[in-house]
Amino acid sequence: MADNLPTEFDVVVVGTGLPESIIAAACARSGQRVLHVDSRNYYGGNWASFSFSGLLSWIKENQQKTDISDECEDWRKLILEDEEAIPLSSKDKTIQNVEDFCFGNQDSAEGVEEAGALPKLPVFGAPGAQGVSPASQKENPTAEGISLGSEQSPAAEGSEKENAAAESPGEEPQSPEAEQAPGSEPGAAPGDGAGTAPGSGAAPEPAQTETAPSQSTAQEPREITYSQIVREGRRFNIDLVSKLLYSRGLLIDLLIKSNVSRYAEFKNATRVLAFRQGKVEQVPCSRADVFNSRQLTMVEKRMLMKFLTFCLDYEQHPEEYQDYESSTFAQFLQTRKLTPSLQHFILHSIAMVSETESSTLQGLQATKKFLQCLGRYGNTPFLFPLYGQGEIPQCFCRLCAVFGGIYCLRHAVRCLVLDRASARCKAIVDHFGQRINANYFIVEDSYLSESTCTNVPYRQISRAVLITDQSLLNTDSEQQVSILTVPPLEQGRAAVCVIELCSSTMTCMKDTYLVHLTCPSTKTAREDLEPVVQKLFNLNTEKETENEELEKPRALWAVYFNMRDSSGVEKSSYAGLPSNVYVCSGPDSALGNDCAVKQAETIFREMFPTEEFCPPPPNPEDIIYDEDEIEPEESGLNNSPEAKPESSAEESSSGDGAAVTKEE
C-alpha cells in the first residue's frame, strides 16, 4: 500500500491523539495536503477507547514491554550526505505499572467468545495484512444523545448509532476505519456512520434515551460473572483517559464552530457528588437544586446563593478578595462565614481545586467557570460523549479525511530527515523505507526517542478503571453520570477525580457501571488510588462481608496504570528538533480538554498565521461549481472531485462542502 503513497505533502502528522487530530482537521480544512499516520492499529493513542477484549490486549501489550524490531534495516541508506536522521521511538513507553484484578465471580472465561466478535485479522507483518479493518455494528441499544449547537436539553427522539470498526484481533477500540488507502475517496472518512446526528445546520436531531426498567430499582442487583463481562465485552467502551467536556469550554465551542459536532452525540452529566465524613452525597449545583436540597438548612441555602452570586462577577468587587490573593482558596472560604459543609462543597465539588495549593484567584476563576457552564445543556456543567472520549479524536480525523486527508494506521515512521544546510526537517522515512517530503511535521510526544527527551521534565498521571455492580449513590434512576472529587486521604497526596458512567452512555453493559479514577501521581497508580477504591467500593470476593461493606458498590474488575503527562513541556526542552517540527502532548490530568485545544490552535497559527482555525463548513447553497471541477480528474489519488490536493483553498472548500452535503 505504501508504494502508492504520494511523496509530497504540506503537513505530515504522526499520532492520532486529540491535539494531532484537531491540527490535521484544521490543516485539511484550510486546503493543505495532509498525511496522518499512526504506528498503532487503532485511533486515538492515549485518548483511545477500547472494548473489554481490546483493553485486555492493550494491558497484555503494555505488561510485556518488548521492543518492536525494525522491519526495514536499510532505511538509513536513504539519508544523504548533507542530511541527518532524527530516529523516532519504535515502542510506546508512556504507560507503566499496569496491574489488573478480577474481584467478581471468577468462573473460567476460557472458551467464552465475545458476542458479535469478528473473525481475526491477519497478524501485522504477515503476507496479505493490509491493515484495513472490516466495519462492524455496535450492539448496544439506543441512548439519549445531546446534539451540540442547541443550548436546550433535547427531547428524546428515535435514532440509533451504528458502529465504528474493530481494529485488530481481539483489540477493538471503537474507532474509525482502520486505514484509509490512498486511492479511497475522502468521503469514506474515519468514523463514517459512527453516530452522526441526523438533521441539518448546527443542531442535528437528538437521539432517544434508553430507559431503565421501573422494576429494577426494587430488585437485588444480580451477580455478574467474569465470563459475562467477557461475553458482553463489545458493550464496553473503556477510555484510557477520563475527561468531561465543559458545556462552555473550548472543545465544545470548537465542535460547534467547525460543525464536527454532527459526528458525535453527548450525554449530560446528571449529578455532582461529594465525599464527606465517609459518605457519598449529592451536591446542589443549580439554583433549583439549592432550594430543593434537604441537606442544607435555610440559612445555608442563603449563604451558598450569596457566595455563588458573588463568584459570577467577582472581578467587579476586588475589595472582597484582594486582601486574600496570597492566601489559598480554602483559607479565603473560611473568611466568608460559610459552614464547614458549604466550604467542602465549594472547594471540592464546585471549584474542584487543591485545598493546599490553589490560590484565591484560581479558586474564584474555577468557581465562575463551573457556574457559567450550568444550564446550557442541563443541570450540571458537563457533557460526556456517547461511546467514550475516544470518539472525539475520530470526529476530527473524519473532518480531515472529508477534506482530502490521507490516513494510514499500522504505519510506523522510522525517522525525521533533517537538512543540515537549512536546519529544517524535510522528510520522513516510514517502515517500508519510503521517503515522504513535507513542509511541516507534527509528532506526538510518545514517538520521540529517549535521546530527544533526555531533558524533558515529565510528570505522571495515576489511573484506575473499575467495573462495578451498583452506583456510588443509588437513587430512583439507575441511569446517572456522576462526578465525584475525593479529598486527599493523607497529607502529600492529591485529590482523586472519580467519574461514574452508566450503561446509557454506551460504555458498559447493562446492570454494571464503569468508574474512572484519576489523580496526579506521587507513587504507582495502585498505591495512589487503591486507598480511595477501598473507601468507595467493596473489594471482597467472599460472600461473608460486613454490613458496612455490603452497602458499598461491589467492584467486579479493575485495572491500574500510570500514564505520562507531557502537557506544558516547552519545545526547547526537546533536544535537536528543527523549527518546523512541532510536538503534541498526551493527555493531562485536568478534567477538561482546554489544554489540547489551546495547543492545537497555537501550533496551527504558528504554521499558517493567515488562515482561520477550523472555520465553519461552507453553506451548500453558496457553492458555485466550475466546469473543470465537475469533470473527473484524469489522474491522482482521488477519483472524485471532493478534494484536490493541488487546488486552492477556495476550490478545496467548495468541493469538500459538496462532499459533506452528499453525506448528509
Side-chain angles (χ1 to χ4, degrees), residues 341-355:
S341 60
L342 291 182
Q343 291 179 37
H344 182 95
F345 288 163
I346 294 167
L347 184 66
H348 297 295
S349 301
I350 295 178
M352 291 182 283
V353 294
S354 169
E355 187 172 353

Side-chain angles (χ1 to χ4, degrees), residues 634-652:
E634 294 181 3
S635 62
L637 283 176
N638 300 307
N639 56 7
S640 69
E642 270 98 48
K644 297 183 181 181
E646 291 80 10
S647 63
S648 66
E650 291 80 6
E651 289 173 337
S652 176

Side-chain angles (χ1 to χ4, degrees), residues 42-60:
Y42 54 87
Y43 280 81
N46 284 347
W47 303 79
S49 302
F50 291 93
S51 69
F52 187 71
S53 64
L55 185 64
L56 293 180
S57 298
W58 179 88
I59 290 171
K60 184 177 179 181

Side-chain angles (χ1 to χ4, degrees), residues 385-407:
L386 296 187
Y387 299 92
Q389 174 77 25
E391 290 290 294
I392 304 301
Q394 296 175 37
C395 292
F396 285 99
C397 288
R398 183 180 182 189
L399 178 66
C400 175
V402 165
F403 283 88
I406 294 176
Y407 279 82

Side-chain angles (χ1 to χ4, degrees), residues 330-481:
Q331 292 169 336
F332 173 70
L333 291 176
Q334 293 171 5
T335 69
R336 300 295 297 186
K337 299 179 181 178
L338 297 167
T339 63
S341 60
L342 291 182
Q343 291 179 37
H344 182 95
F345 288 163
I346 294 167
L347 184 66
H348 297 295
S349 301
I350 295 178
M352 291 182 283
V353 294
S354 169
E355 187 172 353
T356 57
E357 298 177 5
S358 298
S359 68
T360 297
L361 280 177
Q362 289 174 329
L364 290 172
Q365 290 166 357
T367 304
K368 180 178 180 178
K369 180 179 181 179
F370 183 100
L371 297 172
Q372 286 179 325
C373 293
L374 284 173
R376 188 177 192 184
Y377 296 109
N379 285 335
T380 73
F382 306 111
L383 293 174
F384 181 79
L386 296 187
Y387 299 92
Q389 174 77 25
E391 290 290 294
I392 304 301
Q394 296 175 37
C395 292
F396 285 99
C397 288
R398 183 180 182 189
L399 178 66
C400 175
V402 165
F403 283 88
I406 294 176
Y407 279 82
C408 297
L409 293 185
R410 304 185 182 96
H411 200 99
V413 176
R414 293 290 175 240
C415 71
L416 303 172
V417 180
L418 174 67
D419 180 58
R420 288 175 176 165
S422 62
R424 288 174 63 86
C425 184
K426 60 193 298 188
I428 61 168
V429 176
D430 67 14
H431 62 169
F432 290 105
Q434 184 179 10
R435 185 179 172 124
I436 299 171
N437 302 319
N439 298 324
Y440 299 98
F441 301 84
I442 315 297
V443 183
E444 201 266 322
D445 173 89
S446 66
Y447 286 88
L448 298 176
S449 65
E450 290 185 6
S451 59
T452 303
C453 304
T454 302
N455 300 320
V456 178
Y458 288 124
R459 299 180 300 277
Q460 296 287 325
I461 302 169
S462 291
R463 289 275 293 115
V465 183
L466 281 74
I467 299 173
T468 67
D469 66 346
Q470 295 182 61
S471 174
L472 285 163
L473 183 64
N474 285 318
T475 58
D476 293 339
S477 172
E478 290 183 351
Q479 300 303 310
Q480 300 277 4
V481 178

